[in-house]
Amino acid sequence: MVAHPTGKTSQSLCGIQTTLILPETSMSLRPLVLLSLITLLAACSSTPPPPVVNAPAQAKAAQPLGLGPLPVYQRELSGTLLGIPAGAQVELALLVVNERNLPQRLLASSKWIGNNQPLAFQLRFNPDAFPAGERVELRGRATQSGQLILHLPSRQITQPTTQALGALQFEQAP
């Protein structure tokens, strides 16, 4: 703020240079006008308060978000994983398996962290990569502190289509 001898006051207001001309006879109004301008400047420079969010909206925000709409060039296996302890790392994989039950090729995989509750999953894959005449299986494992603790019994996937598999129960690892 710059005061001029003729009663003018210059000030930058929210990035805009303003000049206020006050008559010299109204000295009692000058402090009130300056206080108003300072208050306006303070309001322009402060950050807005954070929005008030009620508890149910916060609970919805804490839930994991889905992957969004399924692209036309993909298919999806979905369902719920049961029996995963909190903090366990879970991995699902869609694999091409040979006649000796050995994985030959990975078609898709995803990882999650267990939370002691049913864990919804979506595993997307390209149906064009699904081999005709070969066995494809969904397999899963859960590890904690680097050790295998649970596994999902293999589930054969016969068609490259979107499928809801329902609830899949993990079992103790052998």
Side-chain angles (χ1 to χ4, degrees), residues 6-25:
T6 59
K8 293 182 187 176
T9 303
S10 296
Q11 185 170 340
S12 176
L13 179 63
C14 294
I16 301 171
Q17 186 68 30
T18 60
T19 302
L20 179 64
I21 301 175
L22 296 173
E24 290 190 43
T25 58

Side-chain angles (χ1 to χ4, degrees), residues 25-105:
T25 58
S26 63
M27 288 296 181
S28 63
L29 289 179
R30 185 176 282 182
L32 182 60
V33 171
L34 291 177
L35 181 61
S36 298
L37 287 174
I38 291 171
T39 304
L40 183 59
L41 277 175
C44 289
S45 67
S46 66
T47 59
V52 177
V53 179
N54 58 16
Q58 285 177 340
K60 286 181 186 175
Q63 294 174 353
L65 300 176
L67 298 173
L70 184 65
V72 293
Y73 60 87
Q74 286 188 328
R75 301 298 178 264
E76 177 179 83
L77 301 176
S78 62
T80 306
L81 305 176
L82 304 176
I84 309 297
Q89 295 179 348
V90 182
E91 182 178 10
L92 284 182
L94 188 61
L95 300 164
V96 177
V97 180
N98 69 13
E99 62 279 345
R100 296 186 312 170
N101 275 347
L102 298 175
Q104 297 300 298
R105 191 169 43 144

